[in-house]
Amino acid sequence: MRYLPLTDTDRSEMLSVVGASSIDDLFVDVPKEARLDGPIRDLPMHASEMAVEKHMRARAAKNLVAGDVPFFLGAGAYRHHVPASVDHIIQRGEFLTAYTPYQPEIAQGTLQMLFEFQTQVAKLYGCEVANASMYDGSTACWEAISMASRVTKRNRAVLSGALHPHYSEVAKTMAKYLGLEIADAQPAIQAAPDNAGLTSRIDENTSCVVVQYPDILGRIADLTEIAEAAHAKGALLIVVNTEPVALGAIKSPGEMGADIVVGEGQSLGVGLQFGGPYLGLFAVRDKKHVRQMPGRLCGETVDAEGKRGFVLTLSTREQHIRREKATSNICTNSGLCALAFSVHMTLLGEVGLRRLAAENHRLACLTADRLAKVPGVTVLNDTFFNEFTIQVGQDAREIVRTLADKGVLAGVSLGRLYPDVERLSDALIVATTETTSEDDIEALGSALEEVLA
Amino acid sequence: MNAPNASGWKPAMVPAGEDGLHNGPATTTGNRALMLEEPLLFEIGHAETTGVDLPENSGESSSRLGGLDRSEPIGLVGLTEPETVRHYTRLSRQNYGIDLGLFPLGSCTMKHNPRLNEKVARMPGFADIHPLQPVATVRGALEVINELAFWLIDLTGMHGVAMSPKAGAHGELCGILCIRAALEARGDAREVILVPESAHGTNPATAAFAGYKVEDIPATPEGRVDLDALKKRLGPDVAGVMITNPNTCGLFERDMKAISDAVHEAGGFVYCDGANFNAIVGKVRPGDLGVDAMHINLHKTFSTPHGGGGPGSGPVVLSEALSPFGPLPYTARTKDGVVHLIEEEDAERFSQEHFDGRMQHFGRMTAFHGQMGMFTRALSYILSHGADGLKQVAEDAVLNANYVLRSLEDVLDAPFGKSGPCMHEALFSDRGFTGDLSTLDLAKGLIDEGYHPMTVYFPLVVHGAMLVEPTETESKAALDQFITAFRSVAERAKAGDESLKEAPYYAPRRRLDETQAARKPMLAWQGETAPAGKPTMTEQGGS
């Protein structure tokens, strides 16, 4: 048993120190009728490293790997190239196998990294303060709605119809138990988001307006007017971003008046991983809201010799101190994913992020132009970053399945995201990144031509 | 504020011998061999530096960004690849991890992280697949989720499992929402969740986040739930009870079955915080004790690395009564052997076709399918150990903890040392320390001895608590070495050795001023890139 160092000799020596005649003596408090005697049902005996690897490899082989085919899926998770040094660094044992930095004197590596991460996220979002990360974008979005309710002491959140439907679902699930009202809508299939429709739903009881930027259909719109309309009614503007690379090309949400900015950080450093672990980002534009923020925060301080150092701070907001009065029940973050994000961001820097964003946008423009030439395809958006929506005139779910059989992963059908909304069933969200080649674009274009012919 | 060292920090010169601790002469820089101070990224990076080769802007004006092109600098800095690797490698050397030595954080369960699991999680067939790919292209991934789900159900003696919760506390929320959904389905609006005072702080926070009122249940002098007090409080307004078993005092709740029976009789449900499942895996099935819902921290029991604070993963096993109410999405294997992914799309149809309409999910807790990267690791761990190994895991974890308890109880007060064997963790208190020396001082003294300290000041029911959890992956030699170090620091605390108040002396940092950090929060780099004249982050009222 390669992971268990005690020998039988050790065990008997230790039992005599403990004063027990057998290991069962140590389980004496477990009622006899609850004890499991004999082997665990069905579970085989221990297996070698080689055997386990083989078992897992057989399962991995049944999946179609994104990197092996022309690949155009987005809708909240994006396939970017991750520099090799990112994975090298996160596998250093001192990062990989550390715990929450409860003893800051011997956790400065994690803490300084988190401080740098918070700074990077705050700058990217145009905010003053970011936390040390959350589970993922969808849960961060709900936590922001919950926070807005605490700040404004109001209980009605107005959600844009173009917010990722899974994010809306998470908010609705959580809100129904806290007595919060979620006023949501479904996306209008049109070139530009319906800002007027959104602002008309804000009332005196509205705690926050939640918009996505770029939105679920890939559209980019100025948020300044929505911010003003929200603020005029005493509500906060929450901006959700699911593609941080976009912010290398477009104005930050903070610049346009967002009060809370949340998002998914998976694009940088983390990888697709079939949905998790991912990285929730959470920032507030104005530091006055910091004590209402959920999640961990790392702060700068000094040690007894006056040297600069870092600690987890403002923990009086947290569950281990405030128990049922805490700002959130969260007691972890996505530390290792935050490290991956931060390392990737460090490798990119200002110049690299902007070039990466420009390259993503260039390829998306090429793809949109190519698909617009396919008979039967309409490109919906005028504006987009690396993701846009096309309409194919028939059930897009079926098209996606057919193209998958042909070895092209074409995009995310709106039918998968909104199974009950008939009018959205012919739409397909197509995403490109720097990993998309011009050959991939051509493969998608010609496969669509074939299928739609 | 705009100087490179905004905090006014300078490298400290340590005078030779002044504190009686340094044998050699001071270094000019304040650095020590193999240890260089590492500045902040923002102090060494440049806006124009990048470590990724990407095409420069071609100047094409095909922008379709809606006129929202970013005009102002973001304020980021970059490093080349060698600088990046060096920056983070130096930072890593300021960290303690389980790879460096024993990490006895009680209740956190820091065990060895097998590298096979890392290798498996990185197989492209798991790491490079999108959560919304057509399900026909991810059958292997769904099989992994379902296979792990099967073993979790099997090992806990439960009926179903919700795999999507992202961490232990998220799992708690999932379990409590299942309870709430089940109660609402029978038209029973109960308002109160009972939480024993020895519970994790997340338990009451979770119950409150699920819309419940929280009431405490006291502990007995023995460190277990007071069954009589619990029974007295049960009634038609109590939705459920949240219990940790083994509990945070390191003890098995002997009365668990009686507690469950009483709660069920009163019409409520039993939530078990499964953070400590590693102590009983393969030995006891919580389902046999009447538990209705329990989260399992995969990073604790099944060894997925915690990465300096996360990610976690918190699947929730459910009893037959609660299984229909688990969240979306979920996987299910049909009679033809195919594993399906059930999302909004087909939840209703699938429930009708395969569950006679019994599945009544309470909603979605997270965007996608949970922590796939943790599932592959946990499944590898389970298969590597097998039925024989998992039982051995629990036995060795418990033996190691009792060995630590009995080896130190002559020098340290063990408040529940007479309450029976401990399970996977040993609890001590600061009783007998001289003067104002405290648990914190002992902890910092341990750092100088080369160890990460145990969990301190938890559980709250014990004054100056120290919770030591060695786990099953420590050898006897490693335990003996640790016990020697712990004993020596404990003896110093009892003897009133005031030098402990200044410890640690040899860590990358001396004691950090946490009060200042809270009073004047500095939560982001405020250097050159901040607008001129901006005030520092000072809040009124302190913490």
Side-chain angles (χ1 to χ4, degrees):
Chain A
M1 209 89 58
R2 60 191 178 276
Y3 304 140
L4 300 175
L6 295 185
T7 64
D8 283 342
T9 314
D10 291 334
R11 290 184 184 112
S12 53
E13 274 179 38
M14 290 165 75
L15 279 171
S16 67
V17 170
V18 167
S21 57
S22 76
I23 191 72
D24 279 343
D25 286 0
L26 300 181
F27 287 85
V28 67
D29 287 326
V30 178
K32 272 222 161 49
E33 59 275 21
R35 280 188 226 170
L36 261 188
D37 293 318
I40 300 161
R41 178 168 64 98
D42 301 331
L43 186 59
M45 296 294 133
H46 68 276
S48 70
E49 177 160 329
M50 193 166 77
V52 175
E53 189 178 334
K54 189 174 170 195
H55 179 91
M56 298 303 285
R57 195 177 295 285
R59 270 130 197 86
K62 292 186 186 176
N63 303 321
L64 184 59
V65 175
D68 289 347
V69 291
F71 177 85
F72 296 89
L73 275 77
Y78 303 87
R79 182 171 191 275
H80 289 284
H81 172 73
V82 178
S85 47
V86 173
D87 197 42
H88 167 79
I89 287 163
I90 69 169
Q91 287 203 72
R92 278 193 66 90
E94 306 92 327
F95 283 129
L96 183 76
T97 74
Y99 200 73
T100 302
Y102 289 140
Q103 297 288 340
E105 295 84 2
I106 46 172
Q108 287 297 301
T110 291
L111 286 159
Q112 180 169 334
M113 175 279 286
L114 288 176
F115 186 80
E116 294 172 351
F117 166 83
Q118 289 175 180
T119 307
Q120 287 170 324
V121 173
K123 286 178 183 296
L124 189 69
Y125 279 177
C127 288
E128 286 197 19
V129 182
N131 74 12
S133 78
M134 318 281 285
Y135 304 143
D136 73 351
S138 65
T139 51
C141 175
W142 155 248
E143 292 285 344
I145 293 168
S146 159
M147 173 179 160
S149 196
R150 289 193 298 274
V151 169
T152 61
K153 300 191 168 46
R154 298 176 179 183
N155 64 9
R156 181 170 183 268
V158 172
L159 270 51
S160 155
L163 174 64
H164 195 299
H166 289 174
Y167 287 43
S168 305
E169 288 301 320
V170 172
K172 280 195 277 190
T173 298
M174 298 307 307
K176 82 180 160 204
Y177 298 107
L178 274 189
L180 301 190
E181 183 193 345
I182 299 288
D184 69 333
Q186 278 156 353
I189 289 283
Q190 57 192 42
D194 178 16
N195 284 355
L198 181 66
T199 51
S200 72
R201 292 195 280 135
I202 307 171
D203 64 18
E204 306 299 330
N205 193 30
T206 300
S207 61
C208 59
V209 179
V210 186
V211 298
Q212 188 173 321
Y213 170 81
D215 71 19
I216 184 67
L217 301 179
R219 302 169 304 189
I220 302 169
D222 196 338
L223 305 175
T224 317
E225 279 179 23
I226 300 171
E228 283 166 4
H231 295 157
K233 290 261 167 70
L236 304 184
L237 176 63
I238 297 172
V239 175
V240 177
N241 169 267
T242 63
E243 174 49 296
V245 175
L247 298 176
I250 54 178
K251 280 194 194 339
S252 72
E255 242 179 295
M256 290 183 285
D259 299 286
I260 306 174
V261 187
V262 293
E264 177 53 66
Q266 167 273 333
S267 274
L268 291 167
V270 178
L272 289 173
Q273 307 199 80
F274 202 47
Y278 280 6
L279 173 68
L281 307 179
F282 195 114
V284 291
R285 186 168 51 98
D286 190 326
K287 64 181 184 282
K288 77 182 175 203
H289 293 314
V290 84
R291 283 176 204 275
Q292 290 297 336
M293 274 176 98
R296 288 184 178 149
L297 286 164
C298 172
E300 182 181 323
T301 187
V302 291
D303 78 353
E305 289 177 352
K307 283 186 180 175
R308 175 172 65 190
F310 303 92
V311 293
L312 292 182
T313 191
L314 300 182
S315 59
T316 46
R317 309 160 297 118
E318 293 185 68
Q319 29 68 32
H320 60 277
I321 294 182
R322 296 263 290 166
R323 293 171 71 91
E324 68 269 24
K325 303 252 188 287
T327 54
S328 160
N329 80 325
I330 287 177
C331 80
T332 190
N333 59 333
S334 293
L336 202 64
C337 300
L339 173 63
F341 178 100
S342 196
V343 176
H344 195 174
M345 191 71 111
T346 298
L347 284 162
L348 287 166
E350 177 96 17
V351 165
L353 183 66
R354 281 168 171 267
R355 285 182 192 161
L356 179 64
E359 182 65 0
N360 272 252
H361 188 52
R362 183 181 76 84
L363 286 158
C365 290
L366 282 180
T367 310
D369 291 344
R370 174 66 183 86
L371 298 186
K373 289 187 194 135
V374 176
V377 168
T378 312
V379 176
L380 179 74
N381 318 27
D382 303 333
T383 64
F384 55 84
F385 170 63
N386 66 354
E387 177 167 44
F388 55 87
T389 300
I390 61 172
Q391 288 174 282
V392 293
Q394 47 184 287
D395 186 350
R397 261 180 297 184
E398 232 11 83
I399 299 287
V400 168
R401 288 185 199 124
T402 309
L403 290 181
D405 289 342
K406 292 173 175 294
V408 176
L409 290 175
V412 177
S413 63
L414 280 183
R416 171 108 186 234
L417 296 173
Y418 302 91
D420 302 328
V421 189
E422 184 60 33
R423 68 187 162 76
L424 300 175
S425 65
D426 78 332
L428 182 63
I429 308 169
V430 177
T432 59
T433 68
E434 74 286 355
T435 65
T436 312
S437 71
E438 298 196 11
D439 286 348
D440 293 340
I441 298 170
E442 184 48 40
L444 175 63
S446 45
L448 263 178
E449 269 160 12
E450 208 178 305
V451 172
L452 295 178
Chain B
M1 275 311 291
N2 292 332
N5 287 319
S7 60
W9 167 80
K10 290 190 188 79
M13 297 247 290
V14 183
E18 188 178 88
D19 52 10
L21 291 161
H22 302 281
N23 298 323
T27 58
T28 311
T29 55
N31 296 326
R32 300 208 187 143
L34 296 179
M35 287 299 256
L36 288 180
E37 284 292 332
E38 184 62 13
L40 279 174
L41 164 63
F42 291 88
E43 293 160 346
I44 52 177
H46 298 281
E48 65 272 21
T49 303
T50 178
V52 183
D53 287 327
L54 284 159
E56 294 195 36
N57 199 335
S58 59
E60 289 170 46
S61 57
S62 63
S63 165
R64 288 175 223 180
L65 300 172
L68 292 168
D69 306 52
R70 203 187 252 276
S71 48
E72 297 297 312
I74 304 166
L76 297 171
V77 295
L79 298 174
T80 57
E81 179 171 317
E83 292 171 305
T84 302
V85 169
R86 191 173 281 170
H87 176 65
Y88 288 100
T89 301
R90 283 187 181 155
L91 288 187
S92 74
R93 288 160 46 84
Q94 318 265 332
N95 253 15
Y96 193 101
I98 187 71
D99 283 359
L100 283 167
L102 201 144
F103 207 132
L105 276 175
S107 196
C108 300
T109 312
M110 294 296 286
K111 59 175 72 170
H112 172 64
N113 302 135
R115 291 316 195 268
L116 168 65
N117 303 356
E118 295 304 305
K119 186 176 182 183
V120 164
R122 284 170 173 80
M123 289 177 179
F126 299 130
D128 193 21
I129 53 174
H130 192 285
L132 298 173
Q133 276 181 224
V135 288
T137 67
V138 289
R139 291 283 178 218
L142 298 178
E143 279 178 24
V144 164
I145 297 178
N146 214 60
E147 199 174 342
L148 176 61
F150 180 85
W151 296 128
L152 295 180
I153 290 168
D154 201 33
L155 288 167
T156 54
M158 301 291 273
H159 191 266
V161 59
M163 296 295 287
S164 70
K166 294 241 156 199
H170 206 218
E172 287 176 28
L173 198 50
C174 175
I176 295 298
L177 292 183
C178 286
I179 290 173
R180 186 147 180 175
L183 287 168
E184 285 179 3
R186 71 180 195 212
D188 194 351
R190 296 175 175 233
E191 295 178 336
V192 177
I193 292 276
L194 304 178
V195 182
E197 58 182 13
S198 62
H200 289 143
T202 46
N203 292 171
T206 296
F209 256 60
Y212 282 110
K213 284 181 205 147
V214 180
E215 288 182 29
D216 286 348
I217 294 292
T220 62
E222 257 201 336
R224 295 189 171 90
V225 175
D226 185 332
L227 180 60
D228 290 335
L230 178 78
K231 279 184 171 168
K232 267 189 206 132
R233 181 57 194 85
L234 287 171
D237 60 335
V238 174
V241 179
M242 296 181 87
I243 287 182
T244 305
N245 194 20
N247 72 18
T248 52
C249 299
L251 301 173
F252 192 84
E253 294 286 356
R254 288 177 198 147
D255 298 328
M256 192 66 202
K257 190 72 173 70
I259 292 170
S260 301
D261 289 346
V263 174
H264 290 153
E265 199 170 310
F269 290 99
V270 177
Y271 187 88
C272 181
D273 185 318
N276 300 332
F277 184 56
N278 62 308
I280 56 172
V281 61
K283 300 286 289 184
V284 184
R285 298 188 306 176
D288 297 340
L289 297 168
V291 168
D292 291 293
M294 181 179 92
H295 74 269
I296 301 170
N297 303 70
L298 295 186
H299 61 278
K300 298 185 182 186
T301 300
F302 300 113
S303 81
T304 67
H306 208 45
S313 182
V316 179
V317 287
L318 299 166
S319 63
E320 191 163 5
L322 292 186
S323 285
F325 302 97
L328 291 173
Y330 56 89
T331 60
R333 187 187 294 275
T334 45
K335 287 197 179 102
D336 56 3
V338 176
V339 179
H340 296 268
L341 175 69
I342 314 304
E343 297 179 290
E344 287 84 349
E345 183 172 4
D346 40 18
E348 175 107 29
R349 177 184 58 77
F350 198 83
S351 173
Q352 292 303 336
E353 285 175 13
H354 297 281
F355 300 102
D356 304 323
R358 279 175 288 120
M359 302 301 279
Q360 304 166 59
H361 66 86
F362 69 76
R364 184 180 268 274
M365 294 192 78
T366 178
F368 302 119
H369 322 313
Q371 309 288 60
M372 184 65 190
M374 301 294 123
F375 300 160
T376 48
R377 290 172 172 93
L379 180 57
S380 296
Y381 178 92
I382 288 174
L383 296 174
S384 293
H385 283 84
D388 50 340
L390 286 178
K391 191 180 281 254
Q392 194 70 59
V393 160
E395 290 180 354
D396 285 357
V398 170
L399 178 59
N400 279 355
N402 278 283
Y403 185 68
V404 169
L405 179 69
R406 298 305 169 207
S407 300
L408 286 169
E409 69 183 346
D410 63 319
V411 65
L412 276 170
D413 174 56
F416 303 121
K418 302 278 183 285
S419 300
C422 66
M423 296 304 287
H424 58 299
E425 51 198 1
L427 182 61
F428 302 103
S429 85
D430 64 355
R431 214 172 70 175
F433 287 12
T434 299
D436 60 351
L437 286 170
S438 67
T439 287
L440 189 72
D441 301 318
L442 189 150
K444 301 303 184 190
L446 259 182
I447 291 176
D448 281 335
E449 299 292 339
Y451 286 98
H452 194 286
M454 62 288 156
T455 293
V456 294
Y457 301 111
F458 181 83
L460 302 174
V461 287
V462 169
H463 189 271
M466 295 173 235
L467 194 56
V468 179
E469 178 172 11
T471 83
E472 73 278 7
T473 55
E474 297 306 329
S475 68
K476 179 171 179 292
L479 292 179
D480 287 338
Q481 203 180 16
F482 172 72
I483 287 164
T484 304
F486 208 111
R487 169 178 292 279
S488 74
V489 185
E491 279 167 354
R492 286 166 63 197
K494 287 176 81 173
D497 179 351
E498 284 289 316
S499 74
L500 277 177
K501 291 232 72 98
E502 303 282 318
Y505 294 90
Y506 301 120
R509 283 291 177 275
R510 301 290 298 275
R511 271 191 215 194
L512 286 148
D513 188 344
E514 304 199 24
T515 310
Q516 176 183 318
R519 289 228 173 107
K520 298 179 183 172
M522 289 271 287
L523 306 171
W525 164 242
Q526 300 287 305
E528 284 167 16
T529 48
K534 197 168 181 174
T536 55
M537 284 208 40
T538 306
E539 290 221 336
Q540 300 301 315
S543 58

